[in-house]
Amino acid sequence: MQAIRLLFILLLAAYSQLALATLPIQLWQTSAGTWVYFVESRDLPILDISVDFDAGSSSDTPETSGRAGLTLQLLNLGAGGLSEDQIAKALADVGAELGGRFDQDRAGVLLRTLSSERERKQALDILGRVIQHPEFPEDVLERERARVITGLKEADTKPDHIASRTLRKMLYGGHPYGLRGSGEIASLELLQRKDLVDLYQSRYLAAGAVVSIMGDVSRAEAAAIAEALTKDLPQGKPDIVLPPVMAPVAETRRIAHPASQSHILLAYPGLRRDDPDFFPLVVGNYILGGGGFVSRLMQEIRQKRGLAYSVYSGFSPLRHEGPFEIGLQTKKEQSEEALRLTQRVLADFVAGGPTKKELIAAKQNIIGGFPLRLDSNKKIIDHLAMIGFYNLPLTYLDDYVKAIDKVTVAQVKEAFQRRIKPEGMVTVVVGAIEEK
Amino acid sequence: MRLNRRAAALSPGLQVAVMALALLVIPVSSEAFANPHEYTLANGLRLIVKEDHRSPVVVSQIWYKAGSVDELNGATGVAHVLEHMMFKGTKKVPGGEFSKRIAAAGGRENAFTGRDYTAYFQQLHKSRLPLAMELESDRMRNLILTKEEFAKEIQVVMEERRLRTDDKPHALVHEKMMAAAYQSHPYQRPIIGWMNDLENMSVRDAKEWYDRWYAPNNAVLVVVGDVNPKEVFALAQKYYGEIKPRPLVPLALRKPQIEPAQVGIKRLTVKAPAKLPYLTMGYHAPALRNAGDDWEPYALEMLVGVLDGNESARLNKELVRERRIANSTGAGYDSTARGPGMFYLYGTPSEGKTVVELETALRGEMEKLMLDGVTEEELARVKAQVVANHVFRLDSMFYQAMQIGQLESVGLSYRDLDTMVKKLQAVTAEQVREVAKKYVQDDSLTVAVLDPQPLEQKFPTAAPSGLRH
C-alpha cells in the first residue's frame, strides 16, 4: 500500500506541474457584454468555437415543450439573408463543420474550421449570421416540425427511449427538467413561428451568452472574432429562476414491450455544477458504477454472473440537481433478478461506503487519467464552454485534481447517505415479464 | 450508452461508417514522411509509431489479422467471443487484474472486433506505456481459458447480441441484408455471430481460435503519442521480442472466397416492432486492392460524398428538404476491406410516404446522376471536405492510430495514405459518373425493407425463451 500511495503522490505532482502550464485560459468581455474564454494553440491549423446560451429544454413549459430544441435546430436553416442551402454550401465549400449541443440548461452552437484565412473567414461569417440573424422560415419550420414528430413516433417504440423518457418524468415530476428535450407531439403541433422568435429574443442574449475559442488564432484575432459574433445578439440580461428540484415519489413502473431484453433504469436527483458534495459523489460513483470494468456494478452484474453486457451508474451535473442514474439491459426472463441485485449493490454501497483500497484505486484512475481528458482541442473546448456557462473558476481543472485527492472514505459514505436514497429511487423496467 | 463500450463488436452499420472515414484521409505536409516510424521484430511483429507531442499521453493498439471473415460455419462469432475472453487472465495476471492495473495507472482500455481484424487498446499517461506493453504482450501468448469463465462470458455476448441486433430493427435489417447479398463470401455472417452458434459454442472453440491466430507474426502494434520512437521500439523488443512466431496462413495466402457474380435483384422483408419503415439497398462494388493502380474505389468514395457528404449534398437536399419524401436518407461505401466492397443507399420515408416511393426517388437520383453526371462545383466541395476532415482528425490520437491499424490489417499500408489522397483529389466528374453506371445496377442489387409491426403483437424475431442451456 505504501508503494501505491507513493506512486499516487508522484502522479499528482507530475500532473500539477503540467496542468496550469498547458491550459492558460484567457477571459474577457465583448462590448456587448458576452464573456469570452480563450485558449491559444498553434499545434494544428484548426479553430474551434462554441457559443452557448441559457436556452435549454428547461426554458420550455408543458404547453411549449419542444420549442427550445426546435429553435436551436432552425438557427442554421435560414439566417442573415441566406437560405438553408446557401448556408450548407458555404460551410461545405470550406470544409467547416457546424454542430449543436442541447440539454436541460444549455443550447450551444459549435463550429470547427480550418484556421487558414479564406476558410476561417467564410465559416465565421456563417456562424455570425446563424447565431445573430436567424430567420425561422415558416416552411422550414413546418418541415422540421414534421420530421421531429415523425422521429418521436419512432422513438416511442424503442425500449431504451421509452425507459429514459418515463424515468425523466418520474424523477422530476412537474419540474422543467422533466420535459423531454425534443418535446411532445401535442405541444409541437401547436408551436408557431412567433414562439421560436420570442424564445430567441428572450434567451439568446448577449449578456447571458458564453463564447469559447480554442485553437490557431492570436488573442487579438480571437477578440475580433468574439466581437463580430456577439455585437448583434439581442440585448438584455436573462432572468431565469427555476423551482428547486424535489425528492421524487419512490415508485417502480413496469412497461410491457416485445423486445427480448428488459431495459432497466433507476434514478434519483444528483449533482449541481456548484455542488459542495461534487467530489465525494464523483469519486464514489467511479467505485459504484462509473469506473468501466472495475466498478462494483460491473463486477456483480456482468463479471460474476454474466447478466448484462452494459451496466453503469452516473451523475449528469446541471445547474440544478441533474439525474443520478443506474442503467442495464438483460434478457426478460432474468430482469427481476438483475434489478434486485442492482438494488442490493446500491444499498450496500450507500450503507457501507467504499473501502480504503477502492478509494485509492478510484483516485489513481481519476487523477492519473486526467491528462486524457484534455488531450485534444475538442475536449478542451468542451471544458471551456462548461466552465464558462456555469461560471466556474478559471482554475477549475487544477482545483478538480486537488479536490479529488482530498476526498476521504468517510466523506464518500456520508455524502452518498445524505444525497442518494436507495429506497427512494424511481425505477422503470421496459420489457417487463408479462403477467399471465 | 455511457462508457460501457467495452469489448464491443463494431456493429455492421458502424463499421460502414468507420470504413468510409478511413479513405477520406490525406497527409497534410511533407513532415509526414519522417513520421510514422516503422520497425519489424525478428518474430514478425510489426510496430508503427507515430509521434504526436501535443499532450503527455499515448495510445497503444494491437491489431490481429483475424476477424469474423476468418471464421467457419458453426462457429460464427468466435473472433468476438475470444476478444471478450482476452480479459479473463493469465498465470501472471489473473482474471480482472488487467483492467485493474490499467485503471490504477489512470488508463482507459477496450477492444473491438471487425470483419477483418480484432484490436485491443490502452490510452494512458505516456509514462505508463511499459505497463500497457507488459500486459498486452503477456496475453498474446499466456491466456488461460476456463470453462467456468467461458460459461459466464458467453451469456454476456448473447446479451450484447440482443442489445445491438435482435432488439434493434435497423441492425436486424442490415444483418439480414448482408446474409442475402452474399451467397458464399463470409461477409454474409454477422461479426457477433448467429445466436445458435453462440448457444453451442464451447471454450474449445475459443482456444482453437486463440492458438491459430494470436501470434506476433499475425499482429501489428500501433503506438501514437508523446513518445520517442526508439524508446518504443526498445520496449516492444523487451516485452514482445521473446514471443515465438507460429505457423499460420499469412494474409496474402488466405483463401480469397470470391463471391460468385450476382445475376439478378434480390429483395427481402424484415418484420420487427417499429413505427416507421426503413429501406436499405446494397450494390456489390470493388474494394481498394492497390492504392496506386486502382481508381474505381476513389471514384465511388467521391460518389458517396456528392450524394451524402454534407448538408447540401444531393440526397438530403432533394429528398429530405425539397421533395420531402424522406425523413432521413444517406449513402455509404466500405472501400477498405479484405473482402469485397459494397455501395449503399438507405433511408426512412417521411410520414405518409412509402418505401416504394423512397426507393423510386433514390433510383431517380442515381439515374439523373448517370445521365447528367456531377458538377465541378459539387466535386470541388467534396474535395474541400476531404482536405479539412483529414486535418480535423489529427486532433485525435486515437483516430490516427485507428487509421494506421485498419489499413495494415486489410493488406494495405499506412504509407498508402499519401497516394490515397492524391488519388482522391484526382477523381474526375466523368469517373464518378462511370462508376455509378457500372456498379449501381439492378443485377447486383439487394433491397431490404423493414416492415414495422405494432408493439402489442408477438414476434418471431424475439429470441426464443426455451433455448437456455
Side-chain angles (χ1 to χ4, degrees), chain B residues 351-402:
Chain B
E351 223 176 352
K353 303 285 180 187
T354 65
V355 281
V356 177
E357 286 169 288
L358 179 56
E359 183 183 331
T360 306
L362 284 166
R363 285 169 176 275
E365 285 302 317
M366 296 313 301
E367 278 156 24
K368 199 164 70 186
L369 191 148
M370 289 178 219
L371 205 64
D372 306 335
V374 301
T375 66
E376 290 301 327
E377 190 197 350
E378 283 175 296
L379 207 56
R381 188 169 293 136
V382 177
K383 289 177 182 177
Q385 288 183 283
V386 169
V387 173
N389 286 340
H390 172 59
V391 175
F392 294 163
R393 289 191 187 109
L394 292 176
D395 195 25
S396 161
M397 294 191 198
F398 190 83
Y399 182 78
Q400 295 177 64
M402 283 288 291

Short mmCIF file of all heavy atoms in Angstrom, two decimals, chain B residues 351-402:
data_model
loop_
_atom_site.label_atom_id
_atom_site.label_comp_id
_atom_site.label_asym_id
_atom_site.label_seq_id
_atom_site.Cartn_x
_atom_site.Cartn_y
_atom_site.Cartn_z
N GLU B 351 -43.50 10.67 -43.11
CA GLU B 351 -44.81 10.14 -42.77
C GLU B 351 -45.74 10.30 -43.96
O GLU B 351 -45.77 11.35 -44.61
CB GLU B 351 -45.38 10.84 -41.53
CG GLU B 351 -45.99 9.83 -40.61
CD GLU B 351 -46.50 10.43 -39.32
OE1 GLU B 351 -46.24 11.62 -39.05
OE2 GLU B 351 -47.17 9.69 -38.59
N GLY B 352 -46.49 9.24 -44.28
CA GLY B 352 -47.39 9.31 -45.42
C GLY B 352 -46.75 8.83 -46.71
O GLY B 352 -47.43 8.59 -47.70
N LYS B 353 -45.40 8.72 -46.73
CA LYS B 353 -44.72 8.18 -47.91
C LYS B 353 -44.35 6.72 -47.65
O LYS B 353 -44.19 6.30 -46.50
CB LYS B 353 -43.45 8.97 -48.22
CG LYS B 353 -43.69 10.45 -48.43
CD LYS B 353 -44.31 10.72 -49.79
CE LYS B 353 -44.54 12.22 -49.97
NZ LYS B 353 -45.28 12.52 -51.20
N THR B 354 -44.17 5.97 -48.72
CA THR B 354 -43.85 4.55 -48.57
C THR B 354 -42.41 4.26 -48.96
O THR B 354 -41.75 5.10 -49.59
CB THR B 354 -44.76 3.69 -49.48
OG1 THR B 354 -44.43 4.02 -50.84
CG2 THR B 354 -46.23 3.99 -49.23
N VAL B 355 -41.95 3.05 -48.60
CA VAL B 355 -40.61 2.66 -49.02
C VAL B 355 -40.53 2.53 -50.54
O VAL B 355 -39.47 2.73 -51.12
CB VAL B 355 -40.17 1.32 -48.36
CG1 VAL B 355 -39.71 1.55 -46.95
CG2 VAL B 355 -41.24 0.28 -48.43
N VAL B 356 -41.65 2.23 -51.16
CA VAL B 356 -41.65 2.14 -52.62
C VAL B 356 -41.37 3.51 -53.22
O VAL B 356 -40.55 3.67 -54.13
CB VAL B 356 -43.00 1.59 -53.14
CG1 VAL B 356 -43.01 1.57 -54.67
CG2 VAL B 356 -43.25 0.18 -52.58
N GLU B 357 -42.04 4.51 -52.68
CA GLU B 357 -41.80 5.88 -53.17
C GLU B 357 -40.36 6.31 -52.91
O GLU B 357 -39.73 6.96 -53.76
CB GLU B 357 -42.77 6.86 -52.50
CG GLU B 357 -44.20 6.74 -53.03
CD GLU B 357 -45.19 7.51 -52.17
OE1 GLU B 357 -45.48 7.07 -51.04
OE2 GLU B 357 -45.67 8.56 -52.64
N LEU B 358 -39.85 5.94 -51.75
CA LEU B 358 -38.47 6.31 -51.43
C LEU B 358 -37.48 5.60 -52.36
O LEU B 358 -36.54 6.21 -52.87
CB LEU B 358 -38.15 6.00 -49.96
CG LEU B 358 -36.72 6.32 -49.50
CD1 LEU B 358 -36.37 7.77 -49.75
CD2 LEU B 358 -36.55 5.99 -48.02
N GLU B 359 -37.74 4.32 -52.60
CA GLU B 359 -36.85 3.58 -53.50
C GLU B 359 -36.87 4.20 -54.90
O GLU B 359 -35.82 4.40 -55.53
CB GLU B 359 -37.26 2.10 -53.57
CG GLU B 359 -36.29 1.30 -54.44
CD GLU B 359 -36.67 -0.17 -54.61
OE1 GLU B 359 -37.32 -0.74 -53.70
OE2 GLU B 359 -36.32 -0.74 -55.66
N THR B 360 -38.06 4.53 -55.36
CA THR B 360 -38.18 5.16 -56.68
C THR B 360 -37.41 6.48 -56.71
O THR B 360 -36.70 6.78 -57.69
CB THR B 360 -39.66 5.43 -57.00
OG1 THR B 360 -40.37 4.19 -56.85
CG2 THR B 360 -39.84 5.96 -58.40
N ALA B 361 -37.52 7.24 -55.64
CA ALA B 361 -36.83 8.53 -55.60
C ALA B 361 -35.32 8.35 -55.58
O ALA B 361 -34.59 9.09 -56.25
CB ALA B 361 -37.30 9.32 -54.37
N LEU B 362 -34.84 7.37 -54.80
CA LEU B 362 -33.39 7.12 -54.74
C LEU B 362 -32.89 6.67 -56.12
O LEU B 362 -31.84 7.12 -56.59
CB LEU B 362 -33.08 6.06 -53.69
CG LEU B 362 -33.14 6.53 -52.23
CD1 LEU B 362 -33.15 5.35 -51.26
CD2 LEU B 362 -31.97 7.45 -51.90
N ARG B 363 -33.65 5.79 -56.76
CA ARG B 363 -33.27 5.35 -58.10
C ARG B 363 -33.27 6.53 -59.06
O ARG B 363 -32.39 6.65 -59.94
CB ARG B 363 -34.26 4.30 -58.62
CG ARG B 363 -34.08 2.93 -58.00
CD ARG B 363 -35.26 2.05 -58.37
NE ARG B 363 -35.12 0.69 -57.89
CZ ARG B 363 -34.46 -0.27 -58.54
NH1 ARG B 363 -33.91 0.00 -59.71
NH2 ARG B 363 -34.37 -1.48 -58.04
N GLY B 364 -34.23 7.42 -58.89
CA GLY B 364 -34.31 8.61 -59.74
C GLY B 364 -33.07 9.47 -59.61
O GLY B 364 -32.52 9.96 -60.61
N GLU B 365 -32.60 9.65 -58.37
CA GLU B 365 -31.38 10.43 -58.15
C GLU B 365 -30.18 9.79 -58.83
O GLU B 365 -29.34 10.48 -59.42
CB GLU B 365 -31.10 10.58 -56.64
CG GLU B 365 -32.01 11.57 -55.93
CD GLU B 365 -31.94 12.97 -56.54
OE1 GLU B 365 -30.82 13.43 -56.86
OE2 GLU B 365 -33.00 13.59 -56.71
N MET B 366 -30.11 8.46 -58.75
CA MET B 366 -28.98 7.76 -59.38
C MET B 366 -29.05 7.88 -60.90
O MET B 366 -28.04 8.08 -61.58
CB MET B 366 -28.94 6.29 -58.95
CG MET B 366 -28.68 6.05 -57.47
SD MET B 366 -27.31 7.01 -56.74
CE MET B 366 -25.94 6.47 -57.74
N GLU B 367 -30.27 7.75 -61.44
CA GLU B 367 -30.42 7.87 -62.90
C GLU B 367 -30.03 9.25 -63.39
O GLU B 367 -29.35 9.41 -64.41
CB GLU B 367 -31.87 7.54 -63.30
CG GLU B 367 -32.12 6.04 -63.39
CD GLU B 367 -33.60 5.68 -63.19
OE1 GLU B 367 -34.47 6.55 -63.43
OE2 GLU B 367 -33.87 4.53 -62.78
N LYS B 368 -30.48 10.25 -62.65
CA LYS B 368 -30.14 11.63 -63.01
C LYS B 368 -28.62 11.79 -63.04
O LYS B 368 -28.06 12.40 -63.95
CB LYS B 368 -30.76 12.56 -61.96
CG LYS B 368 -30.91 13.99 -62.40
CD LYS B 368 -31.89 14.75 -61.48
CE LYS B 368 -31.30 14.96 -60.11
NZ LYS B 368 -32.22 15.54 -59.14
N LEU B 369 -27.97 11.22 -62.03
CA LEU B 369 -26.51 11.35 -61.94
C LEU B 369 -25.82 10.63 -63.10
O LEU B 369 -24.84 11.11 -63.68
CB LEU B 369 -26.06 10.80 -60.59
CG LEU B 369 -24.62 11.06 -60.15
CD1 LEU B 369 -24.55 11.19 -58.64
CD2 LEU B 369 -23.66 9.99 -60.64
N MET B 370 -26.37 9.46 -63.45
CA MET B 370 -25.76 8.71 -64.55
C MET B 370 -25.95 9.41 -65.89
O MET B 370 -25.12 9.34 -66.78
CB MET B 370 -26.36 7.31 -64.63
CG MET B 370 -25.94 6.42 -63.47
SD MET B 370 -26.73 4.80 -63.61
CE MET B 370 -27.12 4.44 -61.93
N LEU B 371 -27.06 10.12 -66.00
CA LEU B 371 -27.38 10.81 -67.23
C LEU B 371 -26.60 12.12 -67.36
O LEU B 371 -25.93 12.39 -68.36
CB LEU B 371 -28.89 11.09 -67.27
CG LEU B 371 -29.52 11.27 -68.64
CD1 LEU B 371 -29.41 9.98 -69.45
CD2 LEU B 371 -30.99 11.67 -68.48
N ASP B 372 -26.67 12.93 -66.30
CA ASP B 372 -26.10 14.29 -66.37
C ASP B 372 -24.73 14.41 -65.72
O ASP B 372 -24.08 15.45 -65.84
CB ASP B 372 -27.04 15.29 -65.68
CG ASP B 372 -28.46 15.21 -66.24
OD1 ASP B 372 -28.59 14.79 -67.41
OD2 ASP B 372 -29.41 15.56 -65.52
N GLY B 373 -24.30 13.38 -64.97
CA GLY B 373 -23.03 13.49 -64.27
C GLY B 373 -23.12 14.41 -63.07
O GLY B 373 -24.20 14.83 -62.68
N VAL B 374 -21.95 14.71 -62.49
CA VAL B 374 -21.91 15.62 -61.34
C VAL B 374 -21.22 16.90 -61.78
O VAL B 374 -20.43 16.91 -62.74
CB VAL B 374 -21.17 15.00 -60.14
CG1 VAL B 374 -21.86 13.71 -59.71
CG2 VAL B 374 -19.71 14.72 -60.46
N THR B 375 -21.49 17.99 -61.09
CA THR B 375 -20.88 19.26 -61.48
C THR B 375 -19.49 19.40 -60.85
O THR B 375 -19.18 18.76 -59.84
CB THR B 375 -21.72 20.46 -61.01
OG1 THR B 375 -21.72 20.49 -59.56
CG2 THR B 375 -23.16 20.34 -61.50
N GLU B 376 -18.68 20.24 -61.46
CA GLU B 376 -17.34 20.51 -60.90
C GLU B 376 -17.47 21.13 -59.52
O GLU B 376 -16.65 20.89 -58.64
CB GLU B 376 -16.56 21.45 -61.84
CG GLU B 376 -16.13 20.82 -63.16
CD GLU B 376 -15.23 19.59 -62.96
OE1 GLU B 376 -14.45 19.56 -61.98
OE2 GLU B 376 -15.32 18.66 -63.79
N GLU B 377 -18.52 21.92 -59.36
CA GLU B 377 -18.73 22.59 -58.08
C GLU B 377 -18.97 21.56 -56.96
O GLU B 377 -18.39 21.64 -55.88
CB GLU B 377 -19.95 23.52 -58.21
CG GLU B 377 -20.14 24.45 -57.04
CD GLU B 377 -21.55 25.06 -57.00
OE1 GLU B 377 -22.29 24.89 -57.99
OE2 GLU B 377 -21.90 25.66 -55.98
N GLU B 378 -19.81 20.59 -57.26
CA GLU B 378 -20.07 19.53 -56.26
C GLU B 378 -18.81 18.77 -55.91
O GLU B 378 -18.52 18.48 -54.75
CB GLU B 378 -21.08 18.52 -56.83
CG GLU B 378 -22.52 18.96 -56.82
CD GLU B 378 -23.40 17.91 -57.52
OE1 GLU B 378 -23.21 17.70 -58.73
OE2 GLU B 378 -24.25 17.32 -56.84
N LEU B 379 -18.04 18.45 -56.96
CA LEU B 379 -16.83 17.67 -56.76
C LEU B 379 -15.81 18.46 -55.93
O LEU B 379 -15.18 17.92 -55.02
CB LEU B 379 -16.25 17.30 -58.13
CG LEU B 379 -15.41 16.02 -58.18
CD1 LEU B 379 -16.19 14.82 -57.67
CD2 LEU B 379 -14.92 15.78 -59.60
N ALA B 380 -15.67 19.74 -56.25
CA ALA B 380 -14.72 20.58 -55.52
C ALA B 380 -15.12 20.66 -54.05
O ALA B 380 -14.28 20.67 -53.15
CB ALA B 380 -14.69 21.98 -56.13
N ARG B 381 -16.42 20.71 -53.80
CA ARG B 381 -16.93 20.79 -52.43
C ARG B 381 -16.55 19.54 -51.64
O ARG B 381 -16.10 19.61 -50.50
CB ARG B 381 -18.45 20.96 -52.48
CG ARG B 381 -19.10 21.25 -51.16
CD ARG B 381 -20.55 21.68 -51.36
NE ARG B 381 -20.64 22.94 -52.05
CZ ARG B 381 -21.49 23.20 -53.05
NH1 ARG B 381 -22.33 22.28 -53.47
NH2 ARG B 381 -21.50 24.38 -53.60
N VAL B 382 -16.72 18.39 -52.26
CA VAL B 382 -16.36 17.14 -51.58
C VAL B 382 -14.86 17.07 -51.34
O VAL B 382 -14.40 16.64 -50.28
CB VAL B 382 -16.84 15.92 -52.39
CG1 VAL B 382 -16.41 14.62 -51.73
CG2 VAL B 382 -18.35 15.94 -52.55
N LYS B 383 -14.08 17.53 -52.30
CA LYS B 383 -12.63 17.53 -52.13
C LYS B 383 -12.19 18.47 -51.00
O LYS B 383 -11.25 18.17 -50.27
CB LYS B 383 -11.93 17.87 -53.45
CG LYS B 383 -12.05 16.74 -54.47
CD LYS B 383 -11.43 17.10 -55.82
CE LYS B 383 -11.64 15.95 -56.81
NZ LYS B 383 -11.12 16.26 -58.15
N ALA B 384 -12.86 19.60 -50.89
CA ALA B 384 -12.55 20.53 -49.79
C ALA B 384 -12.78 19.85 -48.45
O ALA B 384 -12.03 20.03 -47.49
CB ALA B 384 -13.40 21.79 -49.90
N GLN B 385 -13.84 19.06 -48.40
CA GLN B 385 -14.14 18.36 -47.14
C GLN B 385 -13.11 17.27 -46.85
O GLN B 385 -12.76 17.05 -45.69
CB GLN B 385 -15.52 17.73 -47.22
CG GLN B 385 -16.61 18.78 -47.15
CD GLN B 385 -17.95 18.10 -47.15
OE1 GLN B 385 -18.42 17.65 -48.19
NE2 GLN B 385 -18.54 18.00 -45.98
N VAL B 386 -12.63 16.62 -47.89
CA VAL B 386 -11.60 15.59 -47.71
C VAL B 386 -10.38 16.23 -47.04
O VAL B 386 -9.84 15.70 -46.06
CB VAL B 386 -11.21 14.98 -49.07
CG1 VAL B 386 -9.97 14.10 -48.93
CG2 VAL B 386 -12.36 14.17 -49.65
N VAL B 387 -9.98 17.39 -47.55
CA VAL B 387 -8.82 18.07 -47.00
C VAL B 387 -9.05 18.46 -45.54
O VAL B 387 -8.24 18.18 -44.66
CB VAL B 387 -8.49 19.34 -47.82
CG1 VAL B 387 -7.38 20.15 -47.16
CG2 VAL B 387 -8.11 18.96 -49.25
N ALA B 388 -10.18 19.11 -45.29
CA ALA B 388 -10.46 19.59 -43.94
C ALA B 388 -10.59 18.43 -42.95
O ALA B 388 -10.04 18.47 -41.85
CB ALA B 388 -11.74 20.42 -43.94
N ASN B 389 -11.31 17.39 -43.37
CA ASN B 389 -11.53 16.28 -42.45
C ASN B 389 -10.23 15.60 -42.04
O ASN B 389 -10.09 15.15 -40.91
CB ASN B 389 -12.46 15.24 -43.09
CG ASN B 389 -13.88 15.73 -43.11
OD1 ASN B 389 -14.24 16.63 -42.34
ND2 ASN B 389 -14.70 15.18 -43.97
N HIS B 390 -9.31 15.56 -42.98
CA HIS B 390 -8.04 14.95 -42.59
C HIS B 390 -7.36 15.75 -41.49
O HIS B 390 -6.87 15.20 -40.51
CB HIS B 390 -7.10 14.81 -43.77
CG HIS B 390 -5.76 14.35 -43.31
ND1 HIS B 390 -5.60 13.15 -42.64
CD2 HIS B 390 -4.55 14.93 -43.32
CE1 HIS B 390 -4.33 13.02 -42.29
NE2 HIS B 390 -3.69 14.09 -42.69
N VAL B 391 -7.34 17.05 -41.66
CA VAL B 391 -6.70 17.90 -40.65
C VAL B 391 -7.45 17.76 -39.33
O VAL B 391 -6.86 17.61 -38.26
CB VAL B 391 -6.69 19.37 -41.12
CG1 VAL B 391 -6.14 20.26 -40.02
CG2 VAL B 391 -5.88 19.52 -42.39
N PHE B 392 -8.78 17.79 -39.38
CA PHE B 392 -9.57 17.70 -38.15
C PHE B 392 -9.26 16.42 -37.39
O PHE B 392 -9.21 16.39 -36.17
CB PHE B 392 -11.07 17.74 -38.47
CG PHE B 392 -11.54 19.05 -39.04
CD1 PHE B 392 -12.77 19.15 -39.68
CD2 PHE B 392 -10.76 20.19 -38.92
CE1 PHE B 392 -13.20 20.36 -40.21
CE2 PHE B 392 -11.19 21.41 -39.45
CZ PHE B 392 -12.41 21.49 -40.10
N ARG B 393 -9.04 15.35 -38.14
CA ARG B 393 -8.84 14.07 -37.46
C ARG B 393 -7.48 13.97 -36.79
O ARG B 393 -7.27 13.10 -35.95
CB ARG B 393 -9.07 12.93 -38.43
CG ARG B 393 -10.54 12.85 -38.75
CD ARG B 393 -10.95 11.62 -39.48
NE ARG B 393 -12.35 11.81 -39.83
CZ ARG B 393 -12.78 12.01 -41.06
NH1 ARG B 393 -11.93 12.01 -42.07
NH2 ARG B 393 -14.05 12.20 -41.29
N LEU B 394 -6.57 14.88 -37.14
CA LEU B 394 -5.28 14.89 -36.44
C LEU B 394 -5.47 15.31 -34.99
O LEU B 394 -4.56 15.19 -34.18
CB LEU B 394 -4.30 15.84 -37.13
CG LEU B 394 -3.84 15.43 -38.52
CD1 LEU B 394 -2.95 16.51 -39.12
CD2 LEU B 394 -3.09 14.10 -38.45
N ASP B 395 -6.64 15.83 -34.67
CA ASP B 395 -6.92 16.26 -33.29
C ASP B 395 -7.05 15.05 -32.36
O ASP B 395 -6.98 15.19 -31.16
CB ASP B 395 -8.20 17.11 -33.26
CG ASP B 395 -8.34 17.87 -31.96
OD1 ASP B 395 -7.31 18.14 -31.31
OD2 ASP B 395 -9.48 18.19 -31.58
N SER B 396 -7.29 13.87 -32.92
CA SER B 396 -7.48 12.69 -32.08
C SER B 396 -6.35 11.68 -32.30
O SER B 396 -6.16 11.16 -33.40
CB SER B 396 -8.83 12.04 -32.42
OG SER B 396 -8.85 10.69 -31.96
N MET B 397 -5.60 11.42 -31.25
CA MET B 397 -4.52 10.43 -31.37
C MET B 397 -5.12 9.06 -31.62
O MET B 397 -4.57 8.24 -32.35
CB MET B 397 -3.71 10.39 -30.07
CG MET B 397 -2.96 11.66 -29.79
SD MET B 397 -1.79 11.42 -28.45
CE MET B 397 -1.51 13.14 -28.01
N PHE B 398 -6.23 8.80 -30.99
CA PHE B 398 -6.87 7.50 -31.14
C PHE B 398 -7.22 7.25 -32.60
O PHE B 398 -6.98 6.18 -33.14
CB PHE B 398 -8.13 7.44 -30.27
CG PHE B 398 -8.69 6.05 -30.18
CD1 PHE B 398 -8.19 5.15 -29.26
CD2 PHE B 398 -9.71 5.64 -31.02
CE1 PHE B 398 -8.69 3.86 -29.19
CE2 PHE B 398 -10.21 4.36 -30.96
CZ PHE B 398 -9.70 3.47 -30.04
N TYR B 399 -7.78 8.26 -33.24
CA TYR B 399 -8.16 8.09 -34.63
C TYR B 399 -6.95 7.88 -35.53
O TYR B 399 -6.99 7.07 -36.46
CB TYR B 399 -8.99 9.28 -35.12
CG TYR B 399 -9.42 9.04 -36.54
CD1 TYR B 399 -10.49 8.19 -36.81
CD2 TYR B 399 -8.74 9.58 -37.61
CE1 TYR B 399 -10.85 7.90 -38.11
CE2 TYR B 399 -9.09 9.31 -38.91
CZ TYR B 399 -10.16 8.47 -39.15
OH TYR B 399 -10.50 8.17 -40.44
N GLN B 400 -5.88 8.59 -35.25
CA GLN B 400 -4.67 8.40 -36.06
C GLN B 400 -4.20 6.96 -35.98
O GLN B 400 -3.79 6.37 -36.98
CB GLN B 400 -3.57 9.35 -35.57
CG GLN B 400 -3.90 10.82 -35.79
CD GLN B 400 -2.80 11.72 -35.22
OE1 GLN B 400 -1.67 11.69 -35.68
NE2 GLN B 400 -3.13 12.51 -34.21
N ALA B 401 -4.26 6.40 -34.79
CA ALA B 401 -3.84 5.00 -34.62
C ALA B 401 -4.82 4.05 -35.33
O ALA B 401 -4.41 3.08 -35.97
CB ALA B 401 -3.74 4.66 -33.14
N MET B 402 -6.12 4.36 -35.25
CA MET B 402 -7.14 3.55 -35.91
C MET B 402 -6.88 3.44 -37.42
O MET B 402 -6.97 2.37 -38.01
CB MET B 402 -8.53 4.18 -35.74
CG MET B 402 -9.19 4.00 -34.41
SD MET B 402 -9.78 2.32 -34.11
CE MET B 402 -11.13 2.19 -35.27
#
